[in-house]
Amino acid sequence: IFQIMAEVVSADSGAKIDYRILLVILFGVIGFQLYLNALLDEADVENSIIVVSVISQLATAVAALVVSKRYWGTHVFGKSYLALSLAFFCVLIGEITYNVYLFVFEIDPYPSIADLFFFLLYPFSFVHLVFNIKFFNPQVRISDKLWVITLAAAITLFYSFYSFSEMGVSFDSLYGIIFVAGASAITSLAILGTKVLWKIPLGRAWFLLMIGIMLGTIGDVWYQYLEISESFDTSHVVNLFWYASYWVIVYSLYKHGKIF
């Protein structure tokens, strides 16, 4: 274990972030939204969204699986990145299920079994984050635990206040809170992970992972708001946050592979 930590701490190769790649991701997702707005056929819009969503989710899951396979059986990284891979494979299954409901059976997919797979993103990501944080910092300070819990609770409570003020205590408001709580929990842990690892080269990759997770959280919270107001459609701009989240995480996983 000490040898592994020494390798990660001393590794310089691939530690720096290439911000040009982040700009490519930014302009890529914006360009895709502009492309959708230019399409006249609704079927072309829907097909384009499905293809890009599936490719993005699959790329994220496979990238995490590659990192997991590289370190499987040697230390905690193998299992932690397998958990992250499973998280995005679940999102992929949820995406496919969602679209089967919507376009094959012509049934409103909210709520549906697709949501179960979408929700599994959170526990699997939680496992990934906890494994890595505990590996590099076995004794997390009580103060750190408190602010992680406080931040997650604040995000959830803020959404809950809005949700209840709009809909009262109902199935939809409580259902949305479950997802927001999961998203806020992994966001808080990702910030803690970046704080723990920032002083070593791996911290740059964790910073990217944190940004990716935060973008996904913005997308998730916004989506729940859209469902409350019944204003979500498959081509909504909220998709950009999810796409950017996937590809920033892919870049983060690439950096993990370069650093280890």
Side-chain angles (χ1 to χ4, degrees):
I1 292 177
F2 292 112
Q3 181 181 357
I4 294 166
M5 293 185 69
E7 290 174 354
V8 174
V9 171
S10 62
D12 290 323
S13 176
K16 294 182 179 179
I17 297 173
D18 188 343
Y19 291 97
R20 293 173 298 180
I21 293 178
L22 298 181
L23 286 175
V24 168
I25 294 172
L26 173 63
F27 289 116
V29 296
I30 293 175
F32 179 66
Q33 187 66 31
L34 294 175
Y35 166 75
L36 293 179
N37 293 340
L39 291 176
L40 300 178
D41 191 333
E42 184 177 348
D44 290 338
V45 173
E46 293 168 350
N47 291 334
S48 298
I49 291 170
I50 292 172
V51 169
V52 171
S53 296
V54 168
I55 290 175
S56 300
Q57 293 154 2
L58 182 61
T60 312
V62 170
L65 187 61
V66 169
V67 177
S68 171
K69 184 178 179 181
R70 182 174 178 183
Y71 299 99
W72 188 257
T74 57
H75 51 78
V76 71
F77 293 139
K79 294 179 180 178
S80 71
Y81 285 94
L82 176 61
L84 189 64
S85 178
L86 290 173
F88 287 98
F89 273 121
C90 286
V91 174
L92 175 61
I93 295 171
E95 182 73 28
I96 294 171
T97 305
Y98 181 97
N99 286 293
V100 168
Y101 268 91
L102 187 60
F103 299 115
V104 177
F105 298 118
E106 297 182 348
I107 299 174
D108 184 1
Y110 177 84
S112 71
I113 193 174
D115 293 329
L116 171 61
F117 292 103
F118 287 135
F119 179 79
L120 287 174
L121 167 71
Y122 307 128
F124 280 123
S125 297
F126 187 90
V127 169
H128 167 77
L129 294 166
V130 169
F131 274 15
N132 280 272
I133 291 170
K134 290 188 68 175
F135 179 81
F136 287 100
N137 188 15
Q139 299 297 326
V140 178
R141 293 182 300 179
I142 294 177
S143 60
D144 285 332
K145 293 180 180 179
L146 286 176
W147 72 253
V148 165
I149 294 171
T150 301
L151 177 59
I155 296 172
T156 305
L157 288 173
F158 178 80
Y159 174 82
S160 301
F161 175 79
Y162 172 80
S163 178
F164 291 150
S165 65
E166 289 291 316
M167 305 180 64
V169 179
S170 64
F171 171 80
D172 285 340
S173 60
L174 295 174
Y175 196 65
I177 289 171
I178 294 173
F179 287 84
V180 172
S184 62
I186 62 173
T187 297
S188 300
L189 277 176
I191 295 172
L192 174 60
T194 302
K195 179 176 180 289
V196 168
L197 302 175
W198 182 249
K199 292 183 180 180
I200 64 176
L202 185 60
R204 281 67 168 180
W206 263 81
F207 175 74
L208 290 170
L209 180 65
M210 179 192 71
I211 294 299
I213 289 175
M214 290 181 69
L215 288 169
T217 295
I218 293 171
D220 291 347
V221 174
W222 193 358
Y223 169 76
Q224 297 301 331
Y225 161 77
L226 293 171
E227 285 293 351
I228 289 175
S229 59
E230 298 183 348
S231 55
F232 176 76
D233 63 79
T234 53
S235 61
H236 196 279
V237 70
V238 69
N239 288 319
L240 300 189
F241 287 92
W242 287 323
Y243 298 148
S245 171
Y246 299 141
W247 288 106
V248 170
I249 292 174
V250 168
Y251 182 40
S252 165
L253 291 167
Y254 169 76
K255 302 299 290 182
H256 277 73
K258 293 286 287 184
I259 292 168
F260 286 142

